[in-house]
mmCIF file of all heavy atoms in Angstrom:
data_model
loop_
_atom_site.group_PDB
_atom_site.id
_atom_site.type_symbol
_atom_site.label_atom_id
_atom_site.label_comp_id
_atom_site.label_asym_id
_atom_site.label_seq_id
_atom_site.Cartn_x
_atom_site.Cartn_y
_atom_site.Cartn_z
ATOM 1 N N ILE A 28 14.653 4.151 -12.671
ATOM 2 C CA ILE A 28 13.444 3.392 -12.434
ATOM 3 C C ILE A 28 12.686 4.011 -11.263
ATOM 4 O O ILE A 28 13.205 4.053 -10.168
ATOM 5 C CB ILE A 28 13.773 1.900 -12.137
ATOM 6 C CG1 ILE A 28 14.445 1.251 -13.349
ATOM 7 C CG2 ILE A 28 12.406 1.154 -11.852
ATOM 8 C CD1 ILE A 28 14.948 -0.156 -13.066
ATOM 9 N N TYR A 29 11.499 4.452 -11.563
ATOM 10 C CA TYR A 29 10.747 5.136 -10.497
ATOM 11 C C TYR A 29 10.258 4.138 -9.424
ATOM 12 O O TYR A 29 10.532 4.192 -8.286
ATOM 13 C CB TYR A 29 9.586 5.907 -11.102
ATOM 14 C CG TYR A 29 8.602 6.406 -10.035
ATOM 15 C CD1 TYR A 29 8.989 7.209 -8.958
ATOM 16 C CD2 TYR A 29 7.227 6.098 -10.124
ATOM 17 C CE1 TYR A 29 8.113 7.621 -8.017
ATOM 18 C CE2 TYR A 29 6.362 6.522 -9.163
ATOM 19 C CZ TYR A 29 6.795 7.305 -8.113
ATOM 20 O OH TYR A 29 5.891 7.715 -7.140
ATOM 21 N N ARG A 30 9.459 3.154 -9.911
ATOM 22 C CA ARG A 30 8.841 2.243 -8.956
ATOM 23 C C ARG A 30 9.156 0.812 -9.375
ATOM 24 O O ARG A 30 9.162 0.462 -10.538
ATOM 25 C CB ARG A 30 7.319 2.468 -8.922
ATOM 26 C CG ARG A 30 6.586 1.664 -7.906
ATOM 27 C CD ARG A 30 5.110 1.895 -7.959
ATOM 28 N NE ARG A 30 4.748 3.169 -7.369
ATOM 29 C CZ ARG A 30 4.024 4.148 -8.046
ATOM 30 N NH1 ARG A 30 3.693 3.899 -9.284
ATOM 31 N NH2 ARG A 30 3.719 5.248 -7.400
ATOM 32 N N MET A 31 9.440 -0.047 -8.401
ATOM 33 C CA MET A 31 9.667 -1.445 -8.572
ATOM 34 C C MET A 31 8.809 -2.171 -7.620
ATOM 35 O O MET A 31 8.549 -1.707 -6.482
ATOM 36 C CB MET A 31 11.147 -1.809 -8.358
ATOM 37 C CG MET A 31 12.155 -0.907 -9.081
ATOM 38 S SD MET A 31 13.876 -1.366 -8.828
ATOM 39 C CE MET A 31 14.049 -2.682 -9.979
ATOM 40 N N GLY A 32 8.434 -3.395 -7.995
ATOM 41 C CA GLY A 32 7.566 -4.107 -7.035
ATOM 42 C C GLY A 32 7.269 -5.542 -7.474
ATOM 43 O O GLY A 32 7.794 -6.022 -8.486
ATOM 44 N N TRP A 33 6.444 -6.174 -6.642
ATOM 45 C CA TRP A 33 6.016 -7.549 -6.818
ATOM 46 C C TRP A 33 4.533 -7.662 -6.691
ATOM 47 O O TRP A 33 3.942 -7.063 -5.794
ATOM 48 C CB TRP A 33 6.704 -8.464 -5.795
ATOM 49 C CG TRP A 33 8.169 -8.504 -5.919
ATOM 50 C CD1 TRP A 33 9.121 -7.713 -5.307
ATOM 51 C CD2 TRP A 33 8.926 -9.437 -6.756
ATOM 52 N NE1 TRP A 33 10.410 -8.042 -5.701
ATOM 53 C CE2 TRP A 33 10.355 -9.126 -6.561
ATOM 54 C CE3 TRP A 33 8.593 -10.458 -7.549
ATOM 55 C CZ2 TRP A 33 11.360 -9.800 -7.221
ATOM 56 C CZ3 TRP A 33 9.599 -11.150 -8.204
ATOM 57 C CH2 TRP A 33 10.988 -10.846 -7.995
ATOM 58 N N TYR A 34 3.932 -8.454 -7.616
ATOM 59 C CA TYR A 34 2.585 -8.920 -7.524
ATOM 60 C C TYR A 34 2.571 -10.372 -7.491
ATOM 61 O O TYR A 34 3.603 -11.009 -7.816
ATOM 62 C CB TYR A 34 1.804 -8.435 -8.726
ATOM 63 C CG TYR A 34 1.300 -6.991 -8.679
ATOM 64 C CD1 TYR A 34 2.202 -5.944 -8.595
ATOM 65 C CD2 TYR A 34 -0.073 -6.686 -8.705
ATOM 66 C CE1 TYR A 34 1.728 -4.584 -8.527
ATOM 67 C CE2 TYR A 34 -0.530 -5.428 -8.625
ATOM 68 C CZ TYR A 34 0.332 -4.368 -8.528
ATOM 69 O OH TYR A 34 -0.111 -3.068 -8.471
ATOM 70 N N ARG A 35 1.452 -10.990 -7.148
ATOM 71 C CA ARG A 35 1.365 -12.451 -7.211
ATOM 72 C C ARG A 35 -0.068 -12.819 -7.621
ATOM 73 O O ARG A 35 -1.049 -12.071 -7.448
ATOM 74 C CB ARG A 35 1.632 -13.037 -5.838
ATOM 75 C CG ARG A 35 0.638 -12.780 -4.760
ATOM 76 C CD ARG A 35 1.189 -13.346 -3.401
ATOM 77 N NE ARG A 35 0.244 -13.093 -2.313
ATOM 78 C CZ ARG A 35 0.544 -13.336 -1.016
ATOM 79 N NH1 ARG A 35 1.694 -13.858 -0.677
ATOM 80 N NH2 ARG A 35 -0.314 -13.043 -0.055
ATOM 81 N N GLN A 36 -0.126 -14.035 -8.216
ATOM 82 C CA GLN A 36 -1.367 -14.547 -8.729
ATOM 83 C C GLN A 36 -1.499 -16.022 -8.414
ATOM 84 O O GLN A 36 -0.660 -16.835 -8.889
ATOM 85 C CB GLN A 36 -1.556 -14.299 -10.217
ATOM 86 C CG GLN A 36 -2.853 -14.653 -10.785
ATOM 87 C CD GLN A 36 -3.035 -14.118 -12.223
ATOM 88 O OE1 GLN A 36 -2.084 -13.819 -12.919
ATOM 89 N NE2 GLN A 36 -4.280 -13.962 -12.633
ATOM 90 N N ALA A 37 -2.497 -16.358 -7.573
ATOM 91 C CA ALA A 37 -2.746 -17.758 -7.256
ATOM 92 C C ALA A 37 -3.747 -18.316 -8.308
ATOM 93 O O ALA A 37 -4.488 -17.549 -8.945
ATOM 94 C CB ALA A 37 -3.334 -17.865 -5.866
ATOM 95 N N PRO A 38 -3.810 -19.610 -8.457
ATOM 96 C CA PRO A 38 -4.695 -20.210 -9.450
ATOM 97 C C PRO A 38 -6.157 -19.779 -9.228
ATOM 98 O O PRO A 38 -6.666 -19.876 -8.120
ATOM 99 C CB PRO A 38 -4.514 -21.724 -9.219
ATOM 100 C CG PRO A 38 -3.149 -21.832 -8.659
ATOM 101 C CD PRO A 38 -2.970 -20.616 -7.821
ATOM 102 N N GLY A 39 -6.793 -19.320 -10.278
ATOM 103 C CA GLY A 39 -8.197 -18.930 -10.206
ATOM 104 C C GLY A 39 -8.418 -17.603 -9.540
ATOM 105 O O GLY A 39 -9.606 -17.203 -9.321
ATOM 106 N N LYS A 40 -7.373 -16.905 -9.208
ATOM 107 C CA LYS A 40 -7.488 -15.567 -8.532
ATOM 108 C C LYS A 40 -6.873 -14.439 -9.406
ATOM 109 O O LYS A 40 -6.101 -14.702 -10.295
ATOM 110 C CB LYS A 40 -6.891 -15.635 -7.166
ATOM 111 C CG LYS A 40 -7.589 -16.590 -6.211
ATOM 112 C CD LYS A 40 -7.072 -16.470 -4.816
ATOM 113 C CE LYS A 40 -7.815 -17.368 -3.872
ATOM 114 N NZ LYS A 40 -7.342 -17.238 -2.439
ATOM 115 N N GLN A 41 -7.209 -13.204 -8.985
ATOM 116 C CA GLN A 41 -6.604 -12.071 -9.727
ATOM 117 C C GLN A 41 -5.227 -11.818 -9.234
ATOM 118 O O GLN A 41 -4.788 -12.307 -8.180
ATOM 119 C CB GLN A 41 -7.510 -10.847 -9.459
ATOM 120 C CG GLN A 41 -7.469 -10.348 -8.048
ATOM 121 C CD GLN A 41 -8.345 -9.113 -7.833
ATOM 122 O OE1 GLN A 41 -9.311 -8.826 -8.609
ATOM 123 N NE2 GLN A 41 -8.118 -8.338 -6.805
ATOM 124 N N ARG A 42 -4.463 -11.028 -10.003
ATOM 125 C CA ARG A 42 -3.113 -10.627 -9.654
ATOM 126 C C ARG A 42 -3.207 -9.525 -8.608
ATOM 127 O O ARG A 42 -3.858 -8.457 -8.845
ATOM 128 C CB ARG A 42 -2.377 -10.205 -10.897
ATOM 129 C CG ARG A 42 -0.893 -9.965 -10.629
ATOM 130 C CD ARG A 42 -0.144 -9.617 -11.937
ATOM 131 N NE ARG A 42 -0.188 -10.696 -12.922
ATOM 132 C CZ ARG A 42 0.518 -10.653 -14.027
ATOM 133 N NH1 ARG A 42 1.289 -9.658 -14.336
ATOM 134 N NH2 ARG A 42 0.413 -11.669 -14.894
ATOM 135 N N ASP A 43 -2.613 -9.729 -7.477
ATOM 136 C CA ASP A 43 -2.618 -8.746 -6.404
ATOM 137 C C ASP A 43 -1.247 -8.186 -6.068
ATOM 138 O O ASP A 43 -0.216 -8.908 -6.185
ATOM 139 C CB ASP A 43 -3.237 -9.377 -5.102
ATOM 140 C CG ASP A 43 -4.645 -9.733 -5.245
ATOM 141 O OD1 ASP A 43 -5.430 -8.985 -5.933
ATOM 142 O OD2 ASP A 43 -5.090 -10.769 -4.688
ATOM 143 N N MET A 44 -1.221 -6.965 -5.608
ATOM 144 C CA MET A 44 0.026 -6.328 -5.196
ATOM 145 C C MET A 44 0.532 -7.022 -3.936
ATOM 146 O O MET A 44 -0.260 -7.257 -2.991
ATOM 147 C CB MET A 44 -0.188 -4.828 -4.938
ATOM 148 C CG MET A 44 1.052 -4.049 -4.635
ATOM 149 S SD MET A 44 1.550 -4.003 -2.912
ATOM 150 C CE MET A 44 0.214 -3.029 -2.210
ATOM 151 N N VAL A 45 1.821 -7.242 -3.870
ATOM 152 C CA VAL A 45 2.493 -7.796 -2.695
ATOM 153 C C VAL A 45 3.318 -6.663 -1.980
ATOM 154 O O VAL A 45 3.129 -6.431 -0.808
ATOM 155 C CB VAL A 45 3.407 -8.976 -3.058
ATOM 156 C CG1 VAL A 45 4.121 -9.454 -1.824
ATOM 157 C CG2 VAL A 45 2.602 -10.070 -3.707
ATOM 158 N N ALA A 46 4.157 -5.990 -2.789
ATOM 159 C CA ALA A 46 5.048 -5.017 -2.175
ATOM 160 C C ALA A 46 5.539 -4.117 -3.258
ATOM 161 O O ALA A 46 5.770 -4.520 -4.415
ATOM 162 C CB ALA A 46 6.171 -5.605 -1.430
ATOM 163 N N ILE A 47 5.715 -2.836 -2.982
ATOM 164 C CA ILE A 47 6.219 -1.820 -3.888
ATOM 165 C C ILE A 47 7.279 -0.983 -3.194
ATOM 166 O O ILE A 47 7.129 -0.680 -2.030
ATOM 167 C CB ILE A 47 5.049 -0.934 -4.409
ATOM 168 C CG1 ILE A 47 4.055 -1.750 -5.181
ATOM 169 C CG2 ILE A 47 5.602 0.195 -5.230
ATOM 170 C CD1 ILE A 47 2.782 -0.961 -5.526
ATOM 171 N N ILE A 48 8.251 -0.503 -3.962
ATOM 172 C CA ILE A 48 9.241 0.378 -3.418
ATOM 173 C C ILE A 48 9.534 1.450 -4.526
ATOM 174 O O ILE A 48 9.726 1.085 -5.705
ATOM 175 C CB ILE A 48 10.548 -0.377 -3.040
ATOM 176 C CG1 ILE A 48 11.565 0.575 -2.396
ATOM 177 C CG2 ILE A 48 11.179 -1.126 -4.199
ATOM 178 C CD1 ILE A 48 12.697 -0.148 -1.678
ATOM 179 N N THR A 49 9.561 2.670 -4.113
ATOM 180 C CA THR A 49 9.873 3.762 -5.023
ATOM 181 C C THR A 49 11.386 4.069 -5.042
ATOM 182 O O THR A 49 12.130 3.553 -4.250
ATOM 183 C CB THR A 49 9.094 5.024 -4.607
ATOM 184 O OG1 THR A 49 9.701 5.541 -3.420
ATOM 185 C CG2 THR A 49 7.629 4.757 -4.441
ATOM 186 N N ASN A 50 11.760 4.997 -5.945
ATOM 187 C CA ASN A 50 13.165 5.368 -5.971
ATOM 188 C C ASN A 50 13.554 6.196 -4.771
ATOM 189 O O ASN A 50 14.725 6.397 -4.515
ATOM 190 C CB ASN A 50 13.546 6.094 -7.281
ATOM 191 C CG ASN A 50 12.654 7.298 -7.521
ATOM 192 O OD1 ASN A 50 11.778 7.587 -6.724
ATOM 193 N ND2 ASN A 50 12.913 7.984 -8.603
ATOM 194 N N GLY A 51 12.569 6.632 -4.002
ATOM 195 C CA GLY A 51 12.796 7.316 -2.763
ATOM 196 C C GLY A 51 12.785 6.377 -1.566
ATOM 197 O O GLY A 51 12.795 6.807 -0.418
ATOM 198 N N GLU A 52 12.775 5.098 -1.870
ATOM 199 C CA GLU A 52 12.766 4.014 -0.826
ATOM 200 C C GLU A 52 11.504 3.971 0.006
ATOM 201 O O GLU A 52 11.497 3.345 1.037
ATOM 202 C CB GLU A 52 14.014 4.183 0.154
ATOM 203 C CG GLU A 52 15.362 4.162 -0.553
ATOM 204 C CD GLU A 52 15.768 2.785 -1.103
ATOM 205 O OE1 GLU A 52 15.290 1.794 -0.561
ATOM 206 O OE2 GLU A 52 16.514 2.737 -2.084
ATOM 207 N N GLU A 53 10.469 4.592 -0.525
ATOM 208 C CA GLU A 53 9.175 4.399 0.158
ATOM 209 C C GLU A 53 8.598 3.056 -0.181
ATOM 210 O O GLU A 53 8.653 2.637 -1.352
ATOM 211 C CB GLU A 53 8.197 5.513 -0.281
ATOM 212 C CG GLU A 53 8.640 6.920 0.115
ATOM 213 C CD GLU A 53 7.748 7.997 -0.476
ATOM 214 O OE1 GLU A 53 6.995 7.736 -1.386
ATOM 215 O OE2 GLU A 53 7.766 9.119 0.036
ATOM 216 N N THR A 54 8.034 2.375 0.781
ATOM 217 C CA THR A 54 7.532 1.047 0.575
ATOM 218 C C THR A 54 6.079 0.951 0.946
ATOM 219 O O THR A 54 5.531 1.676 1.723
ATOM 220 C CB THR A 54 8.291 0.007 1.448
ATOM 221 O OG1 THR A 54 8.230 0.299 2.809
ATOM 222 C CG2 THR A 54 9.809 -0.044 1.040
ATOM 223 N N ASN A 55 5.415 -0.036 0.341
ATOM 224 C CA ASN A 55 4.025 -0.324 0.601
ATOM 225 C C ASN A 55 3.829 -1.839 0.514
ATOM 226 O O ASN A 55 4.367 -2.471 -0.456
ATOM 227 C CB ASN A 55 3.121 0.401 -0.396
ATOM 228 C CG ASN A 55 1.663 0.238 -0.052
ATOM 229 O OD1 ASN A 55 1.309 0.120 1.140
ATOM 230 N ND2 ASN A 55 0.786 0.264 -1.036
ATOM 231 N N TYR A 56 3.158 -2.395 1.460
ATOM 232 C CA TYR A 56 2.973 -3.827 1.521
ATOM 233 C C TYR A 56 1.507 -4.208 1.618
ATOM 234 O O TYR A 56 0.659 -3.442 2.174
ATOM 235 C CB TYR A 56 3.655 -4.447 2.741
ATOM 236 C CG TYR A 56 5.156 -4.332 2.761
ATOM 237 C CD1 TYR A 56 5.785 -3.259 3.361
ATOM 238 C CD2 TYR A 56 5.959 -5.331 2.178
ATOM 239 C CE1 TYR A 56 7.169 -3.198 3.373
ATOM 240 C CE2 TYR A 56 7.315 -5.249 2.204
ATOM 241 C CZ TYR A 56 7.948 -4.174 2.795
ATOM 242 O OH TYR A 56 9.310 -4.083 2.795
ATOM 243 N N ALA A 57 1.109 -5.370 1.032
ATOM 244 C CA ALA A 57 -0.197 -5.916 1.269
ATOM 245 C C ALA A 57 -0.303 -6.267 2.758
ATOM 246 O O ALA A 57 0.720 -6.710 3.352
ATOM 247 C CB ALA A 57 -0.402 -7.130 0.398
#
């Protein structure tokens, strides 16, 4: 698995990225 992550969607809003992690353990956060 190359990339794993989480998104979230509140009522009436678009789905936004929360956090991502690659298979190299690189992370990115909102």
Side-chain angles (χ1 to χ4, degrees):
I28 299 174
Y29 168 56
R30 185 181 284 124
M31 311 180 81
W33 295 90
Y34 277 63
R35 67 186 180 187
Q36 187 167 20
K40 296 188 177 181
Q41 66 181 21
R42 189 177 296 188
D43 292 325
M44 187 273 291
V45 176
I47 296 172
I48 185 168
T49 70
N50 57 357
E52 304 287 334
E53 296 175 343
T54 59
N55 187 29
Y56 294 91

